[in-house]
Amino acid sequence: MFQAQAIASSDKSGFYSELTSQLEGLLAGESDPVANAANTSALLFQMMPDLNWAGFYIMRDGELVLGPFQGKPACVRIPVGRGVCGAAVARRQSMLVDDVHAFPGHIACDAASRSELVVPLIRDGEVIGVIDLDSPSPSRFDSADQAGIERIAEIYLAASAS
Ligand code: SME
C-alpha cells in the first residue's frame, strides 16, 4: 500500500490506480450517499500526502452545504459562484488553484490552506455537489491529481444512490 508521503508527478498514475481500486473495494455493495462520502473522504485524507482538508459539499436548495469531511471544522454554506467550490459548480468543471491567496473570493476555512482542487459531482447533467481537497503547500495539485480525483468522483457517483 502507498504511504502518505510526497509522490512525484511521474508516479501519480500508479498512485491513483491503487487509490481507485481501494475506493471501489470500500464502496462495493453500499449505495448510501452519506456513508460513501464519509468513507471516500476518509480514504482520500488517509492516503493522499500533504492535505489539511478532504471532503464533500452537497447541493441543497441551490447552495452548497457541508457534507462528510476530514480536517478542521469548515464553513457550512457556500453560494454557487462563491469561492473555489462555488466556482466549480458555476463553471461545471474542476478547479485547480495553485495559490488560493491569488484566487478572487477564495473562502478561507482553514488559514493553513495554500492550494486547492475541487471536482464537481455531475449526475444526469446536474451538479449535485463537489469533492474539495486543500493543501498547506502551494501548487500541491497538478493535472494528474485532477484526473485522479475526477475518476474518484465517478466511482463515488456510480456506487451511490441519488
Ligand atoms: N476554500 C473553499 C471553501 C471550503 S474549505 O476549503 C473546506 C472555497 O473557496 O470554496
Side-chain angles (χ1 to χ4, degrees):
M1 189 178 276
F2 286 88
Q3 299 300 308
Q5 58 199 10
I7 304 161
S9 283
S10 55
D11 296 335
K12 282 186 179 174
S13 78
F15 173 80
Y16 281 107
S17 151
E18 172 87 3
L19 193 65
T20 50
S21 298
Q22 288 176 348
L23 185 65
E24 284 168 342
L26 196 55
L27 304 189
E30 181 53 66
S31 63
D32 185 276
V34 174
N36 285 347
N39 262 339
T40 300
S41 45
L43 182 74
L44 294 174
F45 197 67
Q46 186 73 28
M47 297 306 297
M48 292 182 69
D50 204 20
L51 298 188
N52 61 322
W53 205 89
F56 286 68
Y57 279 87
I58 305 298
M59 286 296 293
R60 297 240 187 274
D61 299 327
E63 67 181 348
L64 288 168
V65 179
L66 183 63
F69 70 96
Q70 304 269 308
K72 287 187 178 172
C75 27
V76 175
R77 293 177 185 273
I78 300 177
V80 172
R82 284 280 315 283
V84 184
C85 292
V89 176
R91 299 182 198 184
R92 306 167 60 86
Q93 66 186 32
S94 298
M95 301 290 301
L96 194 54
V97 179
D98 285 337
D99 176 4
V100 295
H101 297 300
F103 187 90
H106 167 253
I107 302 164
C109 292
D110 182 343
S113 296
R114 293 298 311 279
S115 58
E116 184 160 357
L117 172 61
V118 180
V119 171
L121 299 166
I122 301 178
R123 192 195 292 286
D124 300 329
E126 187 188 348
V127 182
I128 64 153
V130 301
I131 296 177
D132 180 18
L133 302 179
D134 286 19
S135 170
S137 298
S139 305
R140 156 65 180 82
F141 307 103
D142 62 16
S143 58
D145 295 299
Q146 179 179 328
I149 301 304
E150 287 173 350
R151 179 75 193 114
I152 293 286
E154 286 171 7
I155 294 167
Y156 169 78
L157 285 165
S160 307
S162 46

